[in-house]
Amino acid sequence: MHNLILPLMMTGLLATTAIASEDHSGHADHSGHDAMHDGVQTQATINSIEGKTVNLSHGPIPEIGWPAMTMDLQLLDEAKVGDVAAGQDALIVLEKGEDGMYAIRALMPME
Ligand SMILES: [Cu+2]
């Protein structure tokens, strides 16, 4: 009978983990603090913002293996966007979307 217990516990653990991670992503947009905690944070110069597309120049982001570059990034639907104009430096938080591409979770002016 004992050999049934471990597999059952493992199943329970896996189920708990799945629920916990779903919860986590569901909470990600509740506050700037959560966004900072969950995402990859970097500084960038904003070149342009057109609709959901932001062209920016960022420095190296070692956490995700990106070199410094100028690129387009998409704003997530629920992105927090502060008052940042083209030409200004901003703090950005990137988050990997369901398609595996990084997108902007938050874009805030540098204080
Ligand atoms: Cu880049």
Side-chain angles (χ1 to χ4, degrees):
M1 291 306 272
H2 269 93
N3 60 352
L4 275 177
I5 292 171
L6 187 60
L8 279 174
M9 283 177 66
M10 301 269 290
T11 306
L13 271 175
L14 286 173
T16 306
T17 306
I19 289 163
S21 64
E22 241 168 76
D23 242 19
H24 190 66
S25 62
H27 280 84
D29 60 344
H30 282 189
S31 73
H33 179 80
D34 280 347
M36 302 289 222
H37 184 72
D38 295 339
V40 178
Q41 203 182 133
T42 193
Q43 286 179 23
T45 300
I46 306 306
N47 301 314
S48 66
I49 303 177
E50 288 176 29
K52 294 269 175 193
T53 304
V54 179
N55 184 272
L56 54 77
S57 301
H58 64 76
I61 313 176
E63 294 105 304
I64 55 176
W66 285 9
M69 68 180 116
T70 295
M71 67 188 298
D72 284 340
L73 280 168
Q74 300 301 308
L75 286 167
L76 292 170
D77 287 340
E78 64 275 33
K80 287 170 71 90
V81 181
D83 191 12
V84 180
Q88 291 184 329
D89 289 338
L91 189 65
I92 61 171
V93 179
L94 301 177
E95 185 180 288
K96 197 182 260 188
E98 285 172 21
D99 57 2
M101 302 282 287
Y102 278 93
I104 298 174
R105 150 76 55 197
L107 190 160
M108 290 158 286
M110 302 286 295
E111 295 301 327

